[in-house]
Amino acid sequence: MSQNNFIAGVPWRNPRDLKTLVENRTTYTLDSCELNIFETHQEASDVNLVFGDLVLTTMLKGKKVMHLFDRPRFDYLPGESVIVPPNEVMKIDFPEAQWDNPTQCIALSISKEMIENTFNMLNERLPDKVLSQEWGLDLSYFHLINTQDLSEIINRFIKIGVKERSKEKDLIASLALKELLIRLNQTQAREMLQKTYKELSSGNRLAHVVDFIKKNIRENLTLEQLASQACMSKAHFVRTFKQELGQTPVEFILSERLKLARYYLQIGGFQVKEVAVMSGFNSIGYFIRAFKQEYGTTPKSFQKQ
């Protein structure tokens, strides 16, 4: 996971300010939303948490085990976010929280009016969606790996909530919220496409392009070639791809090649140069730089780990 996908977090509460050791809560109230920072300093289980509005939670430090929607429990780690609808009970375990190794998480509750106004505006101004019929959040994809864009806007929002003191604070937060909702939609779209591109490829142009990329990931893929697969002009294809998935086609291809390279390194038996070629990289130097930027370590060091 890219080091850029983690949230910077906020300083720990002073021990004298803690009211409880389990989910100690600090709240920053803004127009249309409420930013909550939770810290847990001891092991606990079956801790219930519920909000009256839709909430975006993001892990900052430590580990939780989440129980949601009557589905199997799952580990919740830094670099990940979870979207929870209004009045849905989150049951949370803290298996590793300790006084010197606490857990920290944010929960951003967003008003129904802000969500509806943002997506209504997008559906009016950008109605020609390819992947889905309209802009909006799909709670089928509630557990997300943060993208760089999503992490950046969450980081920015934390800074606004915690540190901003200007008279324009609520306006700045409102604009950031709109961007956050767009990034969430795009992150969900990529998550959905990764899971369904094969079944959608015969009837959806973006799914067809993603299927083509994955099947030809080792080839020298060009934007002209991909646009032709989508039956679009090059400019329209690039604009549509970026708008709906939050990545350019070139960024998406690089991400896919790096994930493939990581897989080959994990299974072992290959030299780094072989992995680069098998993953579609023409330059070993570029591969090493891109891998380190994405995963925070060189391919060789990753392989040794």
Side-chain angles (χ1 to χ4, degrees):
M1 183 184 300
S2 171
Q3 299 301 300
N4 296 323
N5 295 351
F6 288 93
I7 310 301
V10 294
W12 296 110
R13 295 282 287 178
N14 189 304
R16 292 172 296 182
D17 297 332
L18 295 175
K19 298 177 182 178
T20 174
L21 296 181
V22 178
E23 289 294 66
N24 187 81
R25 181 175 184 171
T26 306
T27 300
Y28 302 88
T29 302
L30 301 140
D31 284 353
S32 303
C33 67
E34 182 181 81
L35 174 64
N36 301 274
I37 301 172
F38 291 94
E39 298 175 11
T40 296
H41 294 255
Q42 67 181 26
E43 290 185 26
S45 60
D46 293 336
V47 177
N48 291 340
L49 189 62
V50 63
F51 289 86
D53 289 313
L54 180 140
V55 62
L56 169 69
T57 74
T58 298
M59 282 296 291
L60 305 181
K61 299 180 179 74
K63 172 184 174 180
K64 294 183 180 181
V65 177
M66 299 286 286
H67 308 257
L68 267 177
F69 308 119
D70 295 322
R71 298 192 183 188
R73 66 182 186 176
F74 59 91
D75 290 346
Y76 190 19
L77 304 169
E80 301 176 359
S81 292
V82 169
I83 304 172
V84 184
N87 303 313
E88 180 73 28
V89 177
M90 293 175 268
K91 185 167 288 188
I92 310 168
D93 302 331
F94 301 86
E96 300 176 358
Q98 298 176 12
W99 180 253
D100 58 351
N101 183 35
T103 296
Q104 192 178 55
C105 176
I106 68 162
L108 178 64
S109 63
I110 309 172
S111 72
K112 180 181 178 181
E113 291 74 21
M114 169 58 76
I115 296 169
E116 289 180 347
N117 291 341
T118 299
F119 288 126
N120 285 341
M121 176 191 68
L122 288 167
N123 285 319
E124 289 175 6
R125 297 186 181 182
L126 303 170
D128 300 323
K129 292 274 284 178
V130 174
L131 190 58
S132 59
Q133 292 184 344
E134 60 182 18
W135 291 87
L137 297 179
D138 183 350
L139 292 176
S140 301
Y141 301 94
F142 62 90
H143 184 197
L144 305 171
I145 303 298
N146 294 342
T147 62
Q148 183 174 345
D149 284 344
L150 182 57
S151 293
E152 286 175 354
I153 185 59
I154 293 174
N155 269 320
R156 199 181 329 146
F157 199 91
I158 292 173
K159 184 177 180 180
I160 293 169
V162 175
K163 297 182 179 181
E164 182 68 41
R165 295 291 182 268
S166 70
K167 294 180 180 179
E168 302 82 21
K169 179 174 183 175
D170 283 315
L171 177 58
I172 295 170
S174 177
L175 295 172
L177 263 183
K178 293 180 185 298
E179 181 181 348
L180 176 58
L181 289 168
I182 293 171
R183 300 305 180 197
L184 272 178
N185 176 269
Q186 293 169 333
T187 303
Q188 284 189 323
R190 293 217 296 277
E191 182 79 10
M192 182 270 283
L193 201 53
Q194 290 285 2
K195 295 179 178 178
T196 63
Y197 71 91
K198 288 184 179 179
E199 58 192 80
L200 296 178
S201 62
S202 61
N204 185 282
R205 286 182 285 180
L206 286 184
H208 175 71
V209 169
V210 168
D211 186 46
F212 181 83
I213 290 171
K214 287 178 177 286
K215 287 178 178 177
N216 298 276
I217 194 66
R218 298 176 180 86
E219 306 301 323
N220 182 26
L221 299 169
T222 66
L223 291 177
E224 290 79 7
Q225 191 179 18
L226 299 180
S228 176
Q229 290 291 321
C231 299
M232 298 178 183
S233 69
K234 177 181 172 182
H236 184 208
F237 167 69
V238 172
R239 183 170 59 251
T240 299
F241 198 100
K242 172 69 173 179
Q243 177 179 295
E244 299 208 16
L245 301 181
Q247 280 184 324
T248 67
V250 172
E251 289 169 340
F252 181 84
I253 292 169
L254 175 59
S255 176
E256 290 297 302
R257 285 175 172 162
L258 289 172
K259 284 191 291 186
L260 184 60
R262 183 178 64 174
Y263 167 75
Y264 287 134
L265 291 169
Q266 285 175 330
I267 63 176
F270 302 106
Q271 298 293 322
V272 170
K273 187 174 181 179
E274 292 177 298
V275 169
V277 173
M278 293 182 342
S279 304
F281 290 92
N282 296 323
S283 165
I284 181 67
Y286 174 66
F287 166 60
I288 292 172
R289 290 193 302 273
F291 192 94
K292 185 174 182 179
Q293 181 176 2
E294 180 70 11
Y295 298 114
T297 184
T298 65
K300 193 67 175 178
S301 297
F302 182 87
Q303 194 174 45
K304 289 179 180 178
Q305 293 170 5

